[in-house]
């Protein structure tokens, strides 16, 4: 018997490739919307304009300095004329003594010029029991300068503390007056009414005052023996 031909082998089927399991991509997480972006962006308020500083008051222009006045020349002081010390001719003694006019002294006068007075007395020919004149030397100066323009009417003479037995004082009884011209004044006095002297110490005040408010005073002691 004829041999049956061997059956042809079916071609081997190719091996099935393992199925690749495709992984589904994980769903992407939605990012949380940014709060700032999610929310509507609010427009920022426009910054307020800074207040303008108050304008400073314009500085006043400094006053123009006045030109200094031209220097004033000081007036040169007038030269002081010193008195010429010439002794005037002696005046004759009056025969009849007349009381000198009493000068009213000003007290507390404003702006008065003080006079410096020094006095010395000498009995001369005067003695107890007679009525001869006694001598008084008066020196007057102002600020060290001799005062040479006074007259008899500028002098007032007052005796105080009467000596026992003296009948009358020699107050204002200037029987002789002489301005030597050097600030020295020579006075002669004797008791009024022709009364005689009495021994003792006779104290007197000499006042000097002029119309231009020059004033001064001094004391003198006359000793009669």
């Amino acid at each position: 018997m004829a041999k049956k031909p061997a059956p042809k082998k079916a071609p081997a089927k190719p091996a099935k490739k393992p199925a690749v399991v495709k992984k589904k991509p994980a769903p992407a997480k939605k990012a949380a919307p940014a709060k700032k972006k999610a929310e509507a962006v609010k427009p920022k308020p426009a910054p307020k304009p800074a207040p303008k500083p108050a304008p400073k008051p314009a500085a006043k222009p400094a006053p123009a300095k006045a030109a200094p006045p031209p220097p004033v020349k000081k007036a040169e002081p007038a030269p002081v004329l010193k008195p010429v010390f010439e002794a005037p001719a002696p005046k004759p003694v009056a025969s009849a003594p007349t009381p000198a006019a009493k000068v009213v002294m000003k007290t507390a006068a404003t702006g008065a010029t003080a006079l410096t007075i020094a006095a010395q007395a000498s009995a001369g020919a005067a003695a107890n029991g007679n009525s001869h004149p006694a001598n008084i030397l008066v020196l007057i100066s102002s600020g060290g300068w001799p005062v040479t323009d006074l007259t008899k009417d500028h002098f007032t003479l007052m005796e105080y503390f009467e000596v026992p037995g003296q009948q009358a004082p020699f107050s204002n009884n200037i029987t002789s007056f002489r301005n030597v011209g050097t600030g020295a004044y020579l006075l002669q006095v004797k008791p009024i009414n022709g009364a005689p002297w009495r021994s003792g110490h006779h104290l007197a005040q000499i006042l000097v005052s002029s119309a231009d408010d020059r004033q001064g005073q001094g004391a003198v002691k006359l000793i009669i023996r």
Side-chain angles (χ1 to χ4, degrees):
M1 259 179 98
K3 289 182 182 182
K4 293 179 178 184
K8 294 180 180 182
K9 289 182 182 180
K13 294 181 180 181
K16 292 181 179 181
K17 293 181 181 180
V20 179
V21 180
K22 293 182 180 181
K23 292 183 180 181
K24 294 181 179 181
K29 292 182 181 181
K30 294 182 179 180
K35 291 182 180 181
K36 292 183 180 179
K37 291 182 180 180
E39 296 176 359
V41 179
K42 295 181 180 180
K44 292 184 180 180
K48 296 181 179 179
K52 294 182 180 179
K56 294 183 180 180
K60 295 182 178 180
K65 293 184 179 180
V72 180
K73 293 184 179 180
K74 294 183 179 179
E76 296 182 359
V80 179
L81 300 178
K82 295 183 179 180
V84 180
F85 300 143
E86 295 182 359
K91 296 181 180 180
V93 178
S95 57
T98 55
K102 187 174 181 179
V103 179
V104 178
M105 294 292 291
K106 297 181 181 180
T107 58
T110 303
T113 302
L115 299 178
T116 303
I117 298 177
Q120 292 287 339
S122 172
N128 183 44
N130 71 20
S131 58
H132 296 309
N135 304 320
I136 298 177
L137 170 63
V138 183
L139 302 178
I140 303 177
S141 62
S142 176
W145 290 93
V147 178
T148 62
D149 58 345
L150 300 176
T151 65
K152 180 180 177 180
D153 293 337
H154 295 132
F155 286 76
T156 299
L157 186 63
M158 301 297 296
E159 181 184 1
Y160 300 103
F161 305 106
E162 294 182 359
V163 173
Q166 184 78 23
Q167 299 176 6
F170 59 86
S171 299
N172 285 326
N173 192 22
I174 301 176
T175 60
S176 174
F177 179 89
R178 180 181 171 191
N179 180 355
V180 179
T182 62
Y185 297 86
L186 309 182
L187 283 63
Q188 286 190 323
V189 297
K190 62 181 181 179
I192 60 176
N193 300 326
W197 291 102
R198 287 293 178 260
S199 300
H201 293 191
H202 299 259
L203 301 177
Q205 178 187 19
I206 299 175
L207 305 172
V208 178
S209 178
S210 64
D212 55 355
D213 283 341
R214 291 178 297 169
Q215 301 184 39
Q217 62 178 334
V220 64
K221 179 170 67 174
L222 174 61
I223 300 175
I224 300 295
R225 293 184 174 85

